[in-house]
Amino acid sequence: MTVPTDAAYASMLDARDPLASFRERFVITDPDLIYMDGNSLGRLPKATISLAEDLLHRQWGTRLIRSWNEGWFTAPERVGAKIAALIGAQPDEVIVADSTSVNLFKLVVATLRMQRGRSRILTDNLNFPSDLYVLQGAIDLLDKQHQIEIVASHDGIYGPTAELEAHLDAQTALLTLSHTVFKSGYTYDMSSMTEAAHKVGSLVLWDLSHSVGSVPMNVNTAQVDLAIGCTYKYLNGGPGAPAFLYIRRDLQERLSNPITGWMGQKNLFQFESEYQPAVSLRSFLTGTAPIVSLSLIESGVDLLLEAGLDNLRVKSEQQSEYLIALWEAMLEPLGFSLNSPRDVQQRGSHISLGHAEGLRIDLTLLNDMNVLPDFRAPDNIRLGIAPLYTSFRDIHTTVMRLRQIVVERLYEKYSNETPTVT
Ligand SMILES: Cc1ncc(COP(=O)(O)O)c(C=O)c1O
C-alpha cells in the first residue's frame, strides 16, 4: 500500500475519523506530546478523575465502612462483568483480582492439580517472561513433577503454530500463550489453537494483556478454558491496577484456588475455621480487594464499551496499515525493519520497528522529540496504537521524527546504556 506522506493527508484522515472525539475524553496536558505507549500504560480518562473524587470524598470520606455494602464488596464481579463483555465471556466468568502474574499462578497450579497424569506445560518463547517465571514457580511448588516445553519462533515475530500443534500430546496438561505477543504484536488465532489443544485433552490459558480492549475476541465461541490479563494497557485502568481472570463456567467448580483466603470463602462473615470455597468465581479471590485502584478501572472500560470494540478495531487496522505504509516509504530506506507481521489479521494494535541503533533512537525520541514509545530489547521501538486517542497526525509526526533522528544522526549523543524502565 502506498499513501501520501504529507501531514495534510494525516489531518484529512483525522477529520474523517468517526472516533476522533473520544480523544477529548482523556487528560492531555501537553498537546505537543505524542503518546505511543498505549500498550504499557494507557492514558488517564477524564471520567476517572471524577470517579476518584467520588471514591475518596464520598465513598471513603463520608460513607466510610458503609461503602462495603454500597458497591465495594461486589466491585471485583461488577468490573469483571464489564471486562467479560470485551472478551466475549459471560458476566460471571470474569473477576478482577491481584496482578496478572498472581492470577496466572493460581490458574496454572489449579490446572496442574486437576490434570492428573499429565506432566507438561507447552508455551512459546514469545510469551511474556513473567509468565515463564510463574510457570517455573508453579512447577517448583508442585515438587517438580512437571516440565515446561518452550517452542521457539522461527524469527521472533510469528508464533510457531505448526510446531506447537506438533508438540501437543496426551502428556500436555496446559497450553499457555500470549494472545497478542508483547514484542512483535503477532496475534494467535485463538479458536484454532484452542481446538488443537482440546483434541489432546489439554486445557488452554490465554494471556490477554496485549489484546484485551484492542482486539475483538470471543472466548466463549472459541471455547477457551482460562484467561488472564492486565487492565493498565488498552483498558486505561491506571498504573498497577489489578488484573482479571476468566474461567469457563463449567470449569469453575472443578478448579481450586491454591491461594485460599477469606475473600474466597463461602460464607465469609460466619468466620468459620475451615475453608470452604465460594460457589462462584469469588472462590478465586484471596484477600481484600484494592478498592481504590480496582474502582478506577471502570471508567476506562466504559469508554471502550461506548466506542465499541469492532469500531475501534477498524480504526486500529487503518492506523497500523498507515504506519506500515509510512515506514515503507520513509523509514525502511534508512535501515528500519518491520518487526511485526505484515498481515493485519495477524497483528494486535502495536507495531515494532527494529534498527541497529534502536535503543539510541528510542532515547532521542523520548528525550528530545517529545514522542513516548516503548523499547523492547534487543532493538524494538514499540509503537502502541490506542484508537480511543491515537490520531493519524500522531503517527505521521512519529515517523517524521524517527526519520529526522536517523538522517541527522541525532542519536549519536546517547550511549547504549539501558534505562531502568523502558
Ligand atoms: C503479556 C503480559 N503478561 C503478564 C504481565 C505481567 O503483569 P503483572 O505485572 O500485572 O503481573 C505483563 C506486564 O506488562 C504483560 O505484558
Side-chain angles (χ1 to χ4, degrees):
M1 180 171 95
T2 56
V3 292
T5 57
D6 56 310
Y9 181 71
S11 300
M12 186 274 290
L13 294 174
D14 282 328
R16 283 190 191 166
D17 170 15
L19 298 177
S21 63
F22 277 95
R23 187 178 167 93
E24 289 154 28
R25 314 270 292 273
F26 289 87
V27 173
I28 299 185
T29 49
D30 175 0
D32 295 327
L33 174 78
I34 314 276
Y35 195 63
M36 298 301 291
D37 202 323
N39 61 336
S40 266
L41 176 68
R43 277 189 183 273
L44 168 61
K46 286 179 182 166
T48 303
I49 296 177
S50 338
L51 193 59
E53 274 168 4
D54 181 66
L55 191 76
L56 296 179
H57 295 299
R58 188 184 62 81
Q59 298 180 37
W60 181 9
T62 303
R63 298 302 297 159
L64 288 160
I65 192 74
R66 292 170 289 191
S67 284
W68 277 108
N69 282 326
E70 294 169 0
W72 287 358
F73 188 74
T74 50
E77 291 127 308
R78 187 182 67 250
V79 181
K82 289 191 175 183
I83 295 172
L86 294 175
I87 66 170
Q90 300 306 306
D92 60 354
E93 291 178 320
V94 177
I95 199 156
V96 177
D98 305 310
S99 62
T100 317
S101 306
V102 171
N103 287 334
L104 178 63
F105 183 82
K106 290 184 290 190
L107 294 186
V108 169
V109 171
T111 301
L112 295 181
R113 284 183 171 153
M114 193 189 93
Q115 292 276 67
R116 289 196 191 287
R118 290 176 177 253
S119 63
R120 204 173 309 126
I121 303 176
L122 188 60
T123 186
D124 68 7
N125 69 344
L126 304 179
N127 208 344
F128 194 67
S130 182
D131 292 27
L132 302 180
Y133 308 152
V134 167
L135 298 181
Q136 292 161 35
I139 287 176
D140 281 353
L141 180 83
L142 299 175
D143 294 332
K144 300 191 171 46
Q145 302 292 310
H146 302 83
Q147 306 85 44
I148 310 174
E149 203 163 350
I150 304 176
V151 177
S153 158
H154 296 285
D155 52 7
I157 296 178
Y158 290 87
T161 50
E163 290 81 355
L164 282 167
E165 285 184 26
H167 279 79
L168 283 164
D169 63 21
Q171 275 309 307
T172 315
L174 180 68
L175 169 67
T176 179
L177 298 164
S178 286
H179 182 212
T180 295
V181 308
F182 78 109
K183 278 191 188 168
S184 72
Y186 172 80
T187 300
Y188 275 100
D189 180 335
M190 182 180 265
S191 297
S192 67
M193 289 309 296
T194 302
E195 194 184 342
H198 284 172
K199 274 191 189 146
V200 299
S202 169
L203 293 196
V204 180
L205 189 160
W206 291 100
D207 183 338
L208 306 178
S209 295
H210 285 280
S211 57
V212 63
S214 70
V215 179
M217 68 185 89
N218 193 310
V219 293
N220 279 169
T221 309
Q223 299 191 330
V224 170
D225 305 298
L226 307 159
I228 49 161
C230 73
T231 59
Y232 40 74
K233 303 181 197 289
Y234 294 102
L235 303 194
N236 305 298
F244 65 91
L245 64 87
Y246 154 89
I247 304 180
R248 210 180 59 220
R249 195 182 280 149
D250 62 293
L251 279 174
Q252 289 180 10
E253 280 185 42
R254 294 169 59 204
L255 291 167
S256 303
N257 181 1
I259 316 179
T260 46
W262 75 312
M263 284 294 149
Q265 169 78 354
K266 197 171 179 186
N267 294 313
L268 69 159
F269 289 106
Q270 290 180 5
F271 297 107
E272 281 160 3
S273 308
E274 201 169 316
Y275 181 73
Q276 264 201 309
V279 194
S280 72
L281 207 48
R282 282 193 78 90
S283 66
F284 270 79
L285 298 182
T286 302
T288 305
I291 290 299
V292 175
S293 52
L294 193 161
S295 304
L296 299 187
I297 297 170
E298 202 162 354
S299 35
V301 175
D302 283 343
L303 279 175
L304 290 162
L305 292 170
E306 184 185 332
L309 259 196
D310 289 337
N311 300 330
L312 288 163
R313 177 64 187 179
V314 169
K315 179 170 170 187
S316 159
E317 288 186 4
Q318 278 171 357
Q319 291 193 311
S320 64
E321 290 289 85
Y322 176 59
L323 174 49
I324 288 176
L326 289 180
W327 158 76
E328 200 163 27
M330 313 291 286
L331 299 179
E332 194 178 18
L334 298 177
F336 285 91
S337 57
L338 178 64
N339 290 352
S340 294
R342 193 65 190 254
D343 174 3
V344 70
Q345 299 309 324
Q346 293 186 300
R347 284 200 307 262
S349 201
H350 68 267
I351 297 284
S352 284
L353 298 178
H355 193 283
E357 292 293 351
L359 179 59
R360 296 206 287 173
I361 294 170
D362 177 80
L363 291 172
T364 318
L365 203 56
L366 68 94
N367 291 324
D368 306 326
M369 291 284 177
N370 218 14
V371 177
L372 292 186
D374 284 303
F375 182 77
R376 289 291 173 263
D379 69 339
N380 291 290
I381 299 166
R382 190 173 68 168
L383 303 170
I385 292 170
L388 277 177
Y389 52 75
T390 303
S391 68
F392 287 87
R393 274 301 288 260
D394 285 344
I395 293 170
H396 183 266
T397 309
T398 301
V399 169
M400 292 308 134
R401 291 187 188 166
L402 281 169
R403 189 174 162 80
Q404 187 189 351
I405 290 168
V406 174
V407 170
E408 297 177 17
R409 304 180 81 82
L410 301 178
Y411 60 83
E412 285 181 348
K413 78 183 234 207
Y414 290 99
S415 79
N416 264 316
E417 224 165 89
T418 318
T420 320
V421 176
T422 58

